[in-house]
Each structure stands twice: as structure tokens, then as C-alpha cells.
């Protein structure tokens, strides 16, 4: 008897330990994921610069000074062979092969410096320009011995410095990992989110109001209800197929052949597709919020002569709004992290200029992460992780806002 | 006129209508009545509704119709005679002309397209102004009609409320139209696919190699069984081996053992696992987990280990799914009345015995439904398998070998360069239809399980 009880208690302890292990391991996995991303990614926010001495008068570069103040300055400097001048200066400063030490985009930094202060063209100046990916990696202890030795030599000469890479937040996609930035993708994400919100929110809330407050209980409303619940569980990639077939496919109607209704890879199409995806989330959350408003409030309003529409828009909706907003923010967070449907509708193009409007070719943050993850260059690994950090910060902020709203406005009737 | 300017104009006209009608209603002769039926603001809303809605409706229809009309007009231009007969090239040239005409591009590369720029531009201007004109006319006509009806005894409120009801109904119809749209567009493209490839070849063929399709018998290389198997193996076997024990034990620990403070912190933490974007999981799987799994396989003496193994994708997917299982299990365990738990404990059972003999059996429908929903989630999951699983279609039981899934193939088929009507592209829609039907069935079964077997406690 004693033995049996001991055995049962031992099993109880084991069971409890299993439970604890399950929770701990799940949390540990999350921690491991986040730590890996941060460890890989924080370097993406910094950059190694090389101090490069350029002797402009000796370079023989001829630039029309008058053009430097005009919008044609970029073209004039490129035409004068600035790129070669900078490469030549690197070769002079660091010996043969020295141009390998500076980034492909280093001359762009020099161009900005000249535009900022044209007088540098008359002297010998030392400018900080981005180091090449190889040097950047070598400083951190990666890469082959030859590059490492070169980097060590540069370091001894005091030519290397590390900075916070502001350009990562301002630039767009590029083939050179040193020069890439996330602004283009971020702007695309914001435009896409704007379209998604403008469509999904009003339609979702209005249909929730109809279904919850006015719909007669019959086969039609059952059908609408079932299809909304099913839509919430349809895999996201199916919405990509829908967007591709409906918005970007060709149609024929009344003998007219229509081309694609909307431009490919634009924020407008992405936003529409994501709006269809998160609409059911908003509808379900809004219905729950409306349902939790007690009937006595409706009765009171009806009792003093309000019409059914007035009851809803003046009384029920304001009270349900915190719940509706919480659901909407969660849905928007889901849309912000979504990648697969956007791949299908072509938002995977290589885009170097941030989109100017809803119909310009654009890409979004998760797709940018996906595209960078395919790049073989070592430099892209940390840029990918850095972009992931930015995405996670946005998502955490949105979820935090949702939790805050829920806690602040939670009412028990 | 550009679309935004037009929308602003219409909205502005609506505002003017609202202000006018409200001002007029303020001066209504009450004719002895103590109160009028409608408030001035409601008269305003009525006029604004009549000003905005017909014009807006027309703009929507027009923006769908006018590209076709413009194309027709351009094709009737003499310069269009030089266009090639082949539809695909012709559309490319027309699109180029359109890009230049709308000033998205500086110049056209093709001389024929360059010649079409002027006619395209003039057609765009013509139809654009025609649309704008009619829209504004409709706005004025609507406003005039509404203003003539507004009067002291006019029941503006009922009219406005009827309009609002219609708006609500339309909004809720959009949901059903989306479902219908998904189903019909998938079905339509799939039917075109099945005209070229027999459905039996697709559903029961065991050879999948869409890169090389035999033109004479495309069905030979488009057998989807390896994809179905890979999807099932990764999503329903490997991922569930991770997700079910972890999810269930987490839910049990958090509901039964954990201190309230621990629970308050751990539950949102676990839910964060579901909030991490799948592209992040995919990156993590490809960068960290897959090499580790390959090294593990090599250390087991398995030399042909793939770095795109089914195991790596399945493991990460399982972790992603944990919160789905745990929150469903959590809810259904919490729904079991405490009296049952207390009864079992009072009989001398240990907590673990109570859980496994009383709570879990009572909560089983909810748990099963949660698992079914998790499976449906896992087989529809895309980014993890796109980034971590292989493209090679194998039927294998070895988790270290590579496997591919339906979703990965859809992405691969549609992101390559290929024309829109080839069996290759259409196959993606057939795969999508299969995926849609399977996940739909899983959801329906899950809901049925919950409805039918839920014990009703008082």
C-alpha cells in the first residue's frame, strides 16, 4: 500500500515536471529565436567606415562648379568620372587592390560630401566611406586570412571606424549588402496597410453590425455566418491565388476583353488581398464586442424613442469600440507579417526606389526579408536579421497597443 | 481627371448638399405641428446620400469599364494596324503605350508602341473627361432630386435609415462574395487545367516534375501524390508530434499547476509564438535549424542527409502551432466544471490522475477540435516550407530526407517566369483548390466535433 502510494506520488511529480518542461521549452524556443535574431541582426545596424584620403586637384577630374547647385549635380559628377576617381584614390591610399577595401557604393557618399561642400574639390580631403562587405566581415572575425590581414593593417593605421548605420533606415534595396536599407519596404508596408485598413475596417464593422443587430435568423444569414467563419480559417496563400485570378487575371465581359484590373505588384492589390484575408477576423471580433454590450442599454435607448439605427450608432457602437479596435489591431498585425499571398501577386520585384503611391511597384517588409534571405552573400544575413528586428518591433508595438486597449477599456457589466 | 480629385469633388458636393438641406430644414414652416418628423441633420444626410451614392456607383462601374473602352478606341486607330496579330505581344505593346501615356515611363522602346502613345493619351483623356462629366452630372441630378423632396412633412429619417440598412447588408454580402469568389476562381482555373490534364492523373499520379512537362501527355509529370504525402508528413505528422504534447502539457500545466502570476505571464508569452511572422520562422528554420538537423543526421551515420529535410521544416512548424493547440485545450479544460475536478480529488486521486482520467476525457472534443484546426493551419502554412523544405518531390518516411508540400509548389509554380495559360501555372490553381477543399473539410469537421460531443454542464 505504502509502495503504491509512493509510486503514484512519483508519477504525479513526473507529470508535473513534464508540464513545466513543456512550458519552459516552448518559452525557451521563443527566447532562442529572438536571441538569434538580435545577435545576428544588431550588427546590421552598424557599419564599418574607412577613412579614405582623396586628392581631388591631382585626380584631374573636371567638374563644372556651376552645375553643383543645380538638380543636374548627380549627373555631372557621375559624368566627370567620380566613381573611378574614388577607386583610384583607394588604390593610391591602400596599395594595389585597395579599391576592394571600399564599398561599391562608396563614391555615392563622396558625391554627397561634394554636393554638401563643393570646396573639397580644391583640396586633399579625408572622408569616411563605407568599407566593403569583406572588410566589414573581417573586422568581426569572418572571412579568409588575406582579407583579415588587410583589415588588421587598416585598423592599426587607425583608418577604420564603426558607426550606427542611419542609412539602413533611409535606403532601399540594392545588390550590395553594405548599401541596402529598409525604407522602401517599410513605405510599401505602410501603403499596403493603409489600403487594407480603409477597406477591411469599415466593411468588417458594418457587416458585424448587420449580422449581430438586424439580420433576420434565416438560411441566408446562416450562410453568411458560416462563410465568414470559414474564411477566417482559409490558408493565406489561397487569398494570394484569389488576388492573382481576380485582380490580375484577364476577364471578358460583354465581348470586351479586360486586361488586368489593377497594376501588378502594387500596394493597392496587396492591400485589397490582405483586406479580404483579415476581414473575417475583424467581423468576428466586432461581433463579440457588440454581443457583450448588455441589452439593457439597447432597451433604454429604444424606450426613450430612439430608432434601431440610432440605438446602434449612438449607443452600442461607442461602447463596443475598444473591443472592435483590439480585434482590428490584431488583424492588422497579422496582415503586416503576411508574406505568401503577396509573393503570388508579384510583390517580390527588386525595387530600388520607394513607392510614391498606391499603384507604384512596391514590396513589403516580410517579402523584403524573404528576398534577402535568398541572397548568398554573408553581409545579407545580418541585414535580414536586422530587418526582422524592425518587423518584430512593429508587431510587438501593435500587439502591445491591443493589450493596452483591452486592459484600459475592459468593462464588466 | 485623377480618381482621387474626382472622389474629393464628389465628397465636397455631398457636403454642400448636406449643408444646404440642413439650412433649409432649419427654416421649415412647422405649420402648427409641435414637432417635425425628422431633424435638420437627417434632411442633410438624405441629400448628401443622394448626391454621393449614384455618382460613386457610376465611378466604380466606369473605372472597371473604361480600360476596355480605351483599348477598343486605340485598336481602331490607323496606327494599330501595325500591331502584331499574336495577342500576347500585342497586349505588351499596348501596355507599353499605356505606361508612357500615363507618364509612368519616359519613352517607349518599341516604335509601334511610341506611335500608339498619342491615340492612347487622347482616348484616356476623352473617356476620363466623359466619366468625370457624367459623375458630376449624376451628383447634381441626385442632389436636385433630393432637394425637391425635402420638406416639412418629408420623412427624411426613415429614408436615411433605409439607406444605412442597405449599406450594412451590402457590407455583409462582401464576405459571402469573397468565399464565392475564391471558390469560383479556383474552380474556373482548375477546370481549365483538368481540360489539359486528366483529373485522375493529377490526383493519383506519383511523379511530380513541373519543370519538364511532356507536351503530348502533361499528366505524366503532374501527379500530385508526392506533394500530398509531403504536406501530410510535414504538417500532420512531424509538426503534430511536436505541437500536441507540448501544447497539451503546456495547457495542463498552466491551468492546473501554475501559480496565477506565472500563468498571467506565460500565457501571453506562448501566444507570442503564434504572433511571430511565418517568414521569420522560415528564415530561422533555413538558417539555424536545418543545418543542425543535417549535422544530427550525419552524426547518426546517415551520409545523404539533405539540408532541406522534412524534419527541419516540420519541427519549426510544430513550434509555431503550439499556441493553437494549447489555447484550444486551455479553453476546453477551463470549461470543465470544478465540481468534477474537486470530486475526483476528494476521492483521493492525485492531480495527474484527475487530469488524465477526468479532465482530459471531459475536455476531449475541444482538444480534438483544436488539433484538427492546428492540422489545417499546418498544411496551409507556406513560408516555413518555402524557405526550409526542398522542391524535390519524394514519397518517403525518412524525416531526414527532403520532402515538398502543396503550398511550396504553388509558390514555385507561380513565381517562375511562365505564361498564364500553361498547364504549369494552372496546376497551381488545381493545387490551391485541393488545399482549399481539405482545409474547409477539416474546419467543418472540427466545428461538428465541438457541437456534437460537447458535454453540456450546468
Amino acid at each position: 500500500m505504502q509502495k503504491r502510494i509512493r509510486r503514484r506520488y512519483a508519477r504525479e511529480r513526473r507529470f508535473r515536471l513534464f508540464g513545466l518542461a513543456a512550458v519552459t521549452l516552448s518559452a525557451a524556443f521563443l527566447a532562442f529565436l529572438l536571441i538569434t535574431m538580435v545577435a545576428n541582426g544588431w550588427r546590421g545596424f552598424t557599419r564599418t567606415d574607412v577613412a579614405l584620403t582623396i586628392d581631388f586637384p591631382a585626380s584631374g577630374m573636371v567638374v563644372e562648379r556651376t552645375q553643383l547647385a543645380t538638380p543636374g549635380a548627380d549627373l555631372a559628377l557621375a559624368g566627370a568620372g567620380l566613381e573611378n576617381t574614388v577607386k583610384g584614390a583607394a588604390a593610391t591610399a591602400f596599395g594595389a587592390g585597395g579599391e576592394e577595401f571600399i564599398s561599391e557604393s562608396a563614391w555615392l557618399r563622396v558625391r554627397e560630401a561634394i554636393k554638401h561642400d563643393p570646396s573639397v574639390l580644391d583640396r586633399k580631403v579625408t572622408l569616411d566611406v563605407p568599407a566593403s562587405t569583406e572588410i566589414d566581415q573581417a573586422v568581426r572575425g569572418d572571412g579568409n586570412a588575406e582579407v583579415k590581414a588587410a583589415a588588421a593593417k587598416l585598423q592599426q593605421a587607425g583608418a577604420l571606424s564603426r558607426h550606427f548605420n542611419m542609412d539602413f533606415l533611409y535606403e532601399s534595396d540594392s545588390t550590395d549588402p553594405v548599401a541596402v536599407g529598409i525604407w522602401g519596404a517599410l513605405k510599401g508596408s505602410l501603403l499596403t496597410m493603409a489600403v487594407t485598413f480603409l477597406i477591411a475596417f469599415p466593411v468588417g464593422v458594418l457587416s458585424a453590425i448587420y449580422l449581430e443587430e438586424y439580420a433576420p435568423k434565416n438560411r441566408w444569414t446562416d450562410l453568411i455566418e458560416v462563410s465568414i467563419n470559414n474564411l477566417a480559417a482559409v490558408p493565406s496563400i489561397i487569398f494570394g491565388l484569389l488576388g492573382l485570378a481576380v485582380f490580375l487575371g484577364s476577364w471578358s465581359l460583354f465581348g470586351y476583353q479586360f486586361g488586368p484590373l489593377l497594376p501588378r505588384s502594387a500596394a493597392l492589390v496587396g492591400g485589397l488581398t490582405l483586406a479580404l484575408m483579415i476581414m473575417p477576423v475583424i467581423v468576428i471580433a466586432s461581433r463579440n464586442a457588440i454581443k457583450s454590450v448588455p441589452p439593457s442599454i439597447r432597451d433604454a435607448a429604444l424606450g426613450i424613442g430612439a430608432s434601431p439605427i440610432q440605438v446602434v450608432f449612438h449607443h452600442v457602437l461607442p461602447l463596443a469600440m475598444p473591443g472592435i479596435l483590439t480585434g482590428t489591431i490584431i488583424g492588422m498585425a497579422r496582415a503586416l507579417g503576411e508574406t505568401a499571398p503577396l509573393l503570388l501577386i508579384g510583390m517580390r520585384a527588386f525595387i530600388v526606389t520607394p513607392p510614391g503611391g498606391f499603384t507604384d511597384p512596391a514590396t513589403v517588409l516580410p517579402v523584403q526579408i524573404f528576398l534577402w534571405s535568398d541572397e548568398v552573400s554573408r553581409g545579407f544575413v545580418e541585414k535580414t536579421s536586422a530587418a526582422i528586428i524592425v518587423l518584430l518591433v512593429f508587431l510587438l508595438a501593435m500587439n502591445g497597443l491591443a493589450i493596452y486597449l483591452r486592459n484600459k477599456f475592459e468593462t464588466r457589466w | 481627371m485623377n480618381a482621387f480629385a474626382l472622389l474629393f469633388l464628389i465628397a465636397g458636393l455631398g457636403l454642400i448638399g448636406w449643408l444646404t438641406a440642413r439650412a433649409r430644414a432649419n427654416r421649415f414652416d412647422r405649420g402648427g405641428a409641435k414637432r417635425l418628423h425628422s431633424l435638420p441633420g437627417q434632411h442633410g444626410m438624405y441629400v448628401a446620400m443622394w448626391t454621393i451614392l449614384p455618382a460613386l456607383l457610376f465611378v466604380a462601374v466606369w473605372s472597371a469599364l473604361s480600360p476596355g473602352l480605351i483599348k477598343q478606341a486605340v485598336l481602331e486607330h490607323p496606327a494599330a494596324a501595325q500591331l502584331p496579330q499574336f495577342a500576347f505581344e500585342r497586349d505588351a505593346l499596348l501596355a507599353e503605350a499605356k505606361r508612357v501615356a500615363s507618364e509612368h515611363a519616359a519613352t517607349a522602346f518599341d516604335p509601334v508602341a511610341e506611335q500608339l502613345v498619342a491615340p492612347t493619351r487622347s482616348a484616356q483623356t476623352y473617356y476620363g473627361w466623359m466619366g468625370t462629366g457624367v459623375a458630376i452630372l449624376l451628383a447634381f441630378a441626385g442632389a436636385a432630386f433630393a432637394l425637391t423632396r425635402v420638406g416639412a412633412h418629408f420623412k427624411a429619417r426613415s429614408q436615411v435609415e433605409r439607406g444605412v440598412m442597405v449599406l450594412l447588408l451590402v457590407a455583409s454580402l462582401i464576405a459571402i462574395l469573397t468565399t464565392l469568389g475564391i471558390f469560383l476562381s479556383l474552380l474556373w482555373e482548375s477546370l481549365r487545367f483538368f481540360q489539359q490534364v486528366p483529373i485522375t492523373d493529377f490526383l493519383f499520379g506519383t511523379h511530380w516534375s513541373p519543370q519538364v512537362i511532356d507536351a503530348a501527355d502533361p499528366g505524366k509529370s503532374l501527379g500530385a501524390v508526392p506533394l500530398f504525402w509531403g504536406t501530410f508528413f510535414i504538417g500532420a505528422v512531424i509538426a503534430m508530434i511536436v505541437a500536441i504534447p507540448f501544447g497539451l502539457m503546456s495547457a495542463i500545466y498552466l491551468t492546473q499547476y501554475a501559480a496565477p502570476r506565472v500563468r498571467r505571464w506565460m500565457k501571453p508569452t506562448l501566444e507570442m509564438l503564434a504572433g511571430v511572422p511565418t517568414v521569420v520562422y522560415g528564415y530561422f528554420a533555413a538558417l539555424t535549424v536545418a543545418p543542425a538537423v543535417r549535422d544530427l543526421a550525419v552524426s547518426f551515420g546517415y551520409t545523404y542527409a539533405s539540408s532541406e529535410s522534412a524534419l527541419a521544416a516540420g519541427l519549426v512548424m510544430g513550434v509555431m502551432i503550439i499556441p493553437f493547440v494549447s489555447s484550444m485545450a486551455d479553453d476546453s479544460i477551463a470549461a470543465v466544471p470544478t465540481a468534477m475536478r474537486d470530486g475526483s480529488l476528494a476521492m483521493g486521486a492525485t492531480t495527474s490522475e484527475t487530469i488524465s482520467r477526468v479532465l482530459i476525457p471531459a475536455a476531449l472534443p475541444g482538444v480534438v477540435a483544436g488539433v484538427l484546426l492546428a492540422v489545417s493551419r499546418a498544411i496551409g502554412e507556406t513560408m516555413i516550407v518555402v524557405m526550409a523544405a526542398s522542391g524535390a518531390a519524394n514519397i518517403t518516411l525518412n524525416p531526414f530526407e527532403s520532402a515538398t508540400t502543396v503550398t511550396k509548389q504553388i509558390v514555385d509554380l507561380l513565381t517562375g517566369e511562365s505564361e498564364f495559360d500553361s498547364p504549369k501555372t494552372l496546376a497551381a490553381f488545381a493545387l490551391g483548390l485541393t488545399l482549399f477543399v481539405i482545409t474547409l473539410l477539416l474546419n467543418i469537421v472540427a466545428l461538428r466535433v465541438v457541437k456534437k460531443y460537447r458535454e453540456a454542464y450546468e
Side-chain angles (χ1 to χ4, degrees), chain B residues 246-283:
Chain B
F246 275 80
L248 202 54
M249 287 308 287
S250 301
I252 288 171
Y253 185 81
L254 290 181
T255 50
Q256 302 300 318
Y257 291 112
R261 217 163 64 95
V262 176
R263 182 179 152 82
R264 213 174 41 237
W265 280 98
M266 285 314 286
K267 211 170 136 73
T269 309
L270 287 191
E271 275 163 6
M272 263 175 72
L273 280 174
V276 173
T278 53
V279 67
V280 176
Y281 279 115
Y283 183 63

Side-chain angles (χ1 to χ4, degrees), chain A residues 61-84:
Chain A
M61 199 173 73
V62 185
V63 185
E64 279 290 337
R65 295 304 155 89
T66 48
Q67 285 191 323
L68 288 179
T70 65
D74 288 358
L75 209 62
L77 283 168
L82 182 63
E83 192 172 355
N84 285 328

